[in-house]
Amino acid sequence: MAAVHSSLHMTRSLHMTSKVLRCRAHCRGTRAPLSSSGFGFGFGGFGGLNGFSYGFSARALFVVGHDGQDHELGGCGLVCSWLSSPSHVPSHVHHHLKRGRALSHHQHALRAMSSLSSLRSTRRFNQSTVRSPGAFQSRRSSSSSSSSSKTLSSLDAHGSSFASPSDFLDQNDEADTESHIPGMASSTSPSASKKLVNYADGMSDEQLKAVLAPDGAVSVKAGPGSGKTRVLAARAAHLVTNEGFMPWQVLCITFTRKAAGELRDRLKTFLGAETASRVHAGTFHSVCARILRREVENRLVLRKTGRTADFVVFDAGDSIGTMRQVLEEQMFFTPKQSLETAPKLISRLGRERSFGEMPIMRRDEVQLYVEAKNRYERALIASNAFDFDQLLSHTSMLLRDDPDALRDYRERWPHILVDEFQDTNSIQYDIVARLAGARSTTAADVGMEGGKKNDVRASSLFVVGDTDQAIYGWRGANVENMRVNLSRDFPAVESLHLSANYRSTPQVVRAASGVLSGQSRGNLQQSRANFSIRAHRPSGLPVHVGSFDDDVTEADAISREAMWLAEHRGVSYSDMAVLYRTNRQARSLEAAMASRGVPHIVVGSTSFFQKKEVKDVLSYLRLASNPHDTSSFARVLNVPPRGLGPKALDEVKKLAAKRGMSAASMVLAFDGAAWEPKGELAEAVGARVAKGIRDFRDIVQSVAESANRGDDASDVVRLAIDRSGFRDWLLPDVGTSKGKKMSKDKLDENMKRWSNLDNLVDVARGVQAAVLDDDDFLREDVSGDADENGGSNTLADFLERIAVFADDSQDADEKDDQAVRLMTLHSAKGLEFDVVFLCGMNEGLLPHAISLNDDDGIRSKEMRVNEERNLAFVGITRAKSMLYLTHHKTSSASRFEGSDALPSRFLDDALRGLKEVGVGDDDTWFLYQ
DNA sequence: AACGAAGGGGTTTTT
DNA sequence: CCCCTTCGTT
Ligand SMILES: Nc1ncnc2c1ncn2[C@@H]1O[C@H](COP(=O)(O)OP(=O)(O)OP(=O)(O)O)[C@@H](O)[C@H]1O
């Protein structure tokens, strides 16, 4: 162990590179024909995933207007004056405080959960490390006075004299009621209770000040666990409860769907389920998709983009597929050189998922790239599709170029609240800045034309964030939005700070601060606020550090510990999380947990909706909804196999191109349309293929009919599955008797797939319910033109929801209540857990090797490494009570990890301000505090 | 056209 | 070690 320890202190050099490669940025600037597409939206970019599109779109965004039309702020300047302390809460707030008293059991549990504090300082530590598993089983004592007299007989988590789970993880006084039920995981379903909690309950002065800040632009910069999200939710509640706004006049923008869900849960406790569901809460992408769905046929600037209200949202896979296809086509039309370069580009696309990431150096490649980009955009138009980036860029364009639209949306959302603002990209910033009347975006401002009076005030903007938690720079996020752009564009912005961390024990906070203190000097200055952060909770358990030979041993130790905590300390599995850098790391963890019988669930990118068979079935629905969806068409024309291989697809495409229509719509009209030149297609492809095409057409048509009839989504899904013959394909035994040759493995896999499809029917029901439930969004109450598209677009709405707003939480919410959460650091953002295992803390993994390479021409190494640091910071600060940091030397999972990986520099930094205070009883964990 | 076997190539994070 | 592509066989 001594060796491990000393290795933690190896000196490391941060190669600070002042060289920021301008090459690519320059290329972008010069060759990007911003409006060359002829549709006025040339800044959309590819694939939606990269720095590229944001990179050069930013150029376009801020050249607008300098007439400096002022944005009136506030009007409520007095509000915060009566708020210097909670006792000065105005009477109507008091009223709610009183109402809030009558808490249900459930809410007690809720409050207990959300405020698990830390170990009482009266506890004494000693060095005994004897584990006494049985001792914990005793009934809990119900008052803080009795528990405060207990002593902790170990520095280790395994000490023996705890009386209850809550005593173990600790709690504050609020939690010290009768709410210490072992099943703590139920905290996120407040629906059981009808009693409301007052939003001001238990808030600090500075939090309340933020909640009640006057209209205008407000920016709350504060560290992790300081209550930013809580403040944001409380402000939304405040606006509705006390400021007279209708719930749908408040737009809350979060970063992930999960975050939106959590926000809504909090709102429910403040406002009740009914009112809370009327508040508009979504991600940037989901909000933009809603706007476009509504506006794309109504506003001239959007009509020019050639989509209809039935447009489909292309996900990453669709975008990649389209790009590939574009490049393949292009090989026939470009100089010979391209024949060599294009396959290279294509193969890179498979990995890197965007053109933006590719270092392009040669002139012919540049040519190819520009051409491909234009073709790609045309392909999206032909498919009646927007990709992820375009959802944002087109919304931005709408607000920039259509003053009426800008006015309408300002009117619709007098208040816009944005969480995790440090991770907004330039276009997202532009969207909210326009709505909020930013100085540099007011040129196209509202109401000045046609003699109309400008009677609509810009939306008030309220943003919260933490620049030290910026982890999406690789995707185009720009911390400068929070750091400087906001005060540049909103000179009267009120900047607020929250100084206490309510989430974590001082031990955890200290470790987190240590990580930041290791930053390079420039960044250090900027994040000063975060390592002087004050832990509100009393002292807790030491940070546990483990070092292991390989990832399997590491995973096993974590599993063992999780089980021990669950069985002997009463910690619910669902209150534990294992966080890691790469999805791949989930494998060994899953295996270890499975073999020990630790219930677990992998949260994240292997989403249910990403599964092949699920996407296949949904493609049928997509075609039914939007017959131009070439991506879906190519995907399922021959799935399940019906004799329509690559050749057939090719023929169909050729003929479609000749007729100037999309392949999908041609096939769907096969034999059916008056203009269809009889027999031309059949002749081109041959009789057998023609039959396959007719079959395919019939399937899609029956699905479309079902949808148009207004059948439930789950019925439409079931029909698609049945008609397309997935069952006979996956499980041939059932239908025909040709199942002899299928191997056992294959059969197992197919059965899994089939059960996924079975699930899809149920999941569809849930998704549709969610659409109906909280998506009256752009349907009612705006200019009185309710439901103008209503009905006909419901399948599109359903599919949009899945594309833009779906994760696997459908599963997670219900049946995995008692399971350890495994997820990447990125997906853990904004969440919190009693116990956090941050694993794989070695050089090469965290920071990831790819961030340690020399400058890649896009972002400097320093920037990338600092983002990795932020990632470690985010991970550590997810922990409420217990933090485990682990490292492994070798990994079977990757042949790129060396055989003796050093512990992460961030592990080093985290422990720098702590002292080693003991060793666990089995020599697995080393304790620091 | 369909399916299985062999080979080659790759570091990551996600709305 | 895993995924994807390509090649070869039925
Ligand atoms: N005044 C308070 N008293 C007690 N607990 C609080 C208070 N404010 C916030 N908390 C709790 O602290 C925890 C962190 O709050 P929240 O998630 O809002 O922080 P955050 O600033 O958004 O964190 P992060 O940036 O890490 O996502 C939550 O459990 C919340 O309930």
Side-chain angles (χ1 to χ4, degrees), chain A residues 142-196:
Chain A
S142 62
S143 79
S144 57
S145 55
S146 69
S147 60
S148 62
S149 64
K150 279 176 220 113
T151 50
L152 177 59
S153 63
S154 170
L155 288 169
D156 193 350
H158 303 165
S160 58
S161 49
F162 299 102
S164 77
S166 318
D167 274 355
F168 171 63
L169 293 177
D170 209 349
Q171 70 254 344
N172 63 17
D173 295 340
E174 227 185 338
D176 247 349
T177 52
E178 68 283 1
S179 56
H180 297 129
I181 42 172
M184 299 192 282
S186 56
S187 65
T188 50
S189 46
S191 51
S193 167
K194 288 189 180 85
K195 299 277 169 52
L196 302 188

Side-chain angles (χ1 to χ4, degrees), chain A residues 580-590 839-840 845 888:
Chain A
Y580 40 80
R581 176 67 226 275
T582 68
N583 282 303
R584 160 181 275 170
Q585 292 172 262
R587 283 175 191 280
S588 45
L589 290 161
E590 267 192 292
C839 70
L845 207 46
H888 63 253

Side-chain angles (χ1 to χ4, degrees), chain A residues 113-116 172 174 201-204 207 222-232 266 419-420 422 464-466 469 498 500-504 536 828-832 874 877-878 880:
Chain A
M113 275 307 304
S114 65
S115 54
L116 278 178
N172 63 17
E174 227 185 338
D201 244 10
M203 282 210 152
S204 70
Q207 287 177 325
S226 56
K228 294 185 297 295
T229 306
R230 180 166 162 172
V231 161
L232 188 136
R266 289 201 210 213
D419 203 0
E420 310 278 15
Q422 76 281 356
V464 305
D466 176 7
Q469 292 187 65
L498 308 175
N501 178 310
Y502 291 92
R503 175 184 295 143
S504 311
H536 180 261
K829 179 157 99 157
L831 308 179
E832 60 185 16
V874 167
T877 56
R878 298 309 91 197
K880 293 204 270 189

Side-chain angles (χ1 to χ4, degrees), chain A residues 618-636:
Chain A
L618 290 175
S619 287
Y620 282 95
L621 304 214
R622 280 173 49 164
L623 279 170
S625 169
N626 169 24
H628 301 286
D629 186 343
T630 307
S631 176
S632 290
F633 177 74
R635 181 183 184 94
V636 294

